[in-house]
Amino acid sequence: MAQLTLEQIQKKSLNRLVGLHPVFKMALEKLIERCYARGVWVLIVQGLRTYVEQDALYAQGRTKPGQVVTKARGGYSNHNFGFAADFALLLRDGRTVSWDTLEDDDKDSLPDWSEVVEEAKKLGLEWGGDWRSFKDMPHLQMVFGLTTAQFRAGKRPSQAQLDTVLSKINKTEDEEMTAEEKAAFKELQNTVQKQADRIKVLEFAAKQPKVPTWAEQACINAKTAGVLDTANDGSYDFYRLVAILDRAGVFNKKGDK
């Protein structure tokens, strides 16, 4: 029987945490830590998935061999946006990964799976085993009430929602945070806010709600020439290209000099 340290257990999930939203990632890291304290070794076996990876998984049991494991195509799973993950149990031999929901490897009469779910819910995580239509027992997510349609449209949780989760992560049960913990928590809040601000800048650059003033005439010329149907919801690079082409005379009508 192997006796692994917390650090060794954490390292086994490290690669699957890459790309997840920072606050969701922290919740999973805390989950691993709390479960270890209860004698349960939990592994994160699935994290962020690209649309292509999601489509390949969706094809399993449909157009490809295997059992059906998901109802979601690419863009319709919370895995695609970094707010979902799947877990499994690592047994005491330190090698065997189990999805047995009745497994009790720490011999405390409570199934290890149930202990993971219990700790996950304390951290504000949603468990796929509670779903009515399609129970996904290894699935955990933190979507802040947002749908995949809203995620696809670029909507993300508010800072207030993130702060609520951060407080759960950083506060131990029945114990106030120390001055050092409060300082670390404040620094973490600032980091998350900076990341959220950066995301907003990138999203604005990728999709602007209206045509910039400096590109208005170029867009009008492009529409008059029949090159564009609409100039709405373009990116900065799109408007820049239209302006360059207009200056080069590409949108001049035949006969115009």
Side-chain angles (χ1 to χ4, degrees):
M1 180 178 292
Q3 182 55 50
L4 302 183
T5 65
L6 173 59
E7 184 178 1
Q8 289 173 314
I9 298 294
Q10 291 170 325
K11 190 174 181 179
K12 290 179 179 292
S13 295
L14 204 57
N15 291 339
R16 295 300 181 181
L17 297 175
V18 174
L20 297 178
H21 185 277
V23 173
F24 178 54
K25 177 175 177 287
M26 286 186 58
L28 293 176
E29 290 171 337
K30 182 62 70 172
L31 175 66
I32 295 171
E33 181 182 323
R34 289 188 179 183
C35 288
Y36 185 84
R38 294 180 64 159
V40 178
W41 297 353
V42 60
L43 298 177
I44 304 303
V45 296
Q46 278 283 300
L48 178 69
R49 294 192 202 120
T50 64
Y51 282 22
V52 172
E53 290 171 334
Q54 187 68 39
D55 284 334
L57 200 61
Y58 180 81
Q60 185 175 315
R62 294 181 174 87
T63 58
K64 294 182 178 180
Q67 294 183 333
V68 173
V69 292
T70 182
K71 290 186 175 182
R73 296 177 184 271
Y76 290 81
S77 167
N78 291 313
H79 280 280
N80 304 150
F81 307 101
F83 288 89
D86 295 334
F87 73 94
L89 302 174
L90 180 65
L91 302 188
R92 281 299 187 275
D93 61 9
R95 299 185 302 274
T96 305
V97 178
S98 171
W99 283 267
D100 184 354
T101 59
L102 299 179
E103 182 71 49
D104 181 25
D105 213 25
D106 59 342
K107 311 301 181 187
D108 63 356
S109 76
L110 183 64
D112 295 349
W113 202 272
S114 299
E115 294 188 69
V116 176
V117 172
E118 183 178 295
E119 291 298 335
K121 290 182 177 182
K122 289 178 183 177
L123 291 165
L125 294 164
E126 178 185 344
W127 178 46
D130 287 330
W131 296 345
R132 294 181 180 179
S133 59
F134 178 74
K135 291 188 179 297
D136 193 350
M137 304 299 279
H139 184 91
L140 295 171
Q141 64 180 36
M142 183 176 284
V143 297
F144 302 90
L146 299 175
T147 65
T148 53
Q150 289 174 311
F151 278 129
R152 289 196 302 276
K155 189 172 179 60
R156 294 296 183 268
S158 67
Q159 189 60 43
Q161 289 175 309
L162 296 174
D163 285 346
T164 297
V165 174
L166 288 172
S167 66
K168 290 182 180 180
I169 294 173
N170 285 276
K171 184 177 180 181
T172 57
E173 293 182 11
D174 302 320
E175 182 181 35
E176 291 296 328
M177 287 190 288
T178 64
E180 291 79 9
E181 289 171 334
K182 289 180 179 178
F185 178 55
K186 183 63 177 177
E187 183 177 351
L188 179 61
Q189 285 181 308
N190 292 335
T191 299
V192 172
Q193 182 61 57
K194 288 178 181 178
Q195 291 176 328
D197 292 341
R198 176 60 177 162
I199 289 172
K200 287 181 180 179
V201 171
L202 293 174
E203 288 177 345
F204 181 76
K207 184 177 181 181
Q208 301 192 40
K210 59 184 295 186
V211 180
T213 303
W214 51 265
E216 286 180 351
Q217 188 57 53
C219 289
I220 291 173
N221 294 342
K223 290 175 68 176
T224 301
V227 177
L228 293 180
D229 292 326
T230 178
N232 295 330
D233 296 327
S235 67
Y236 173 86
D237 289 337
F238 168 76
Y239 292 123
R240 182 172 177 272
L241 177 60
V242 172
I244 291 173
L245 292 175
D246 183 55
R247 291 170 192 159
V250 173
F251 306 134
N252 287 345
K253 294 180 179 179
K254 290 182 178 180
D256 289 352
K257 301 291 184 182

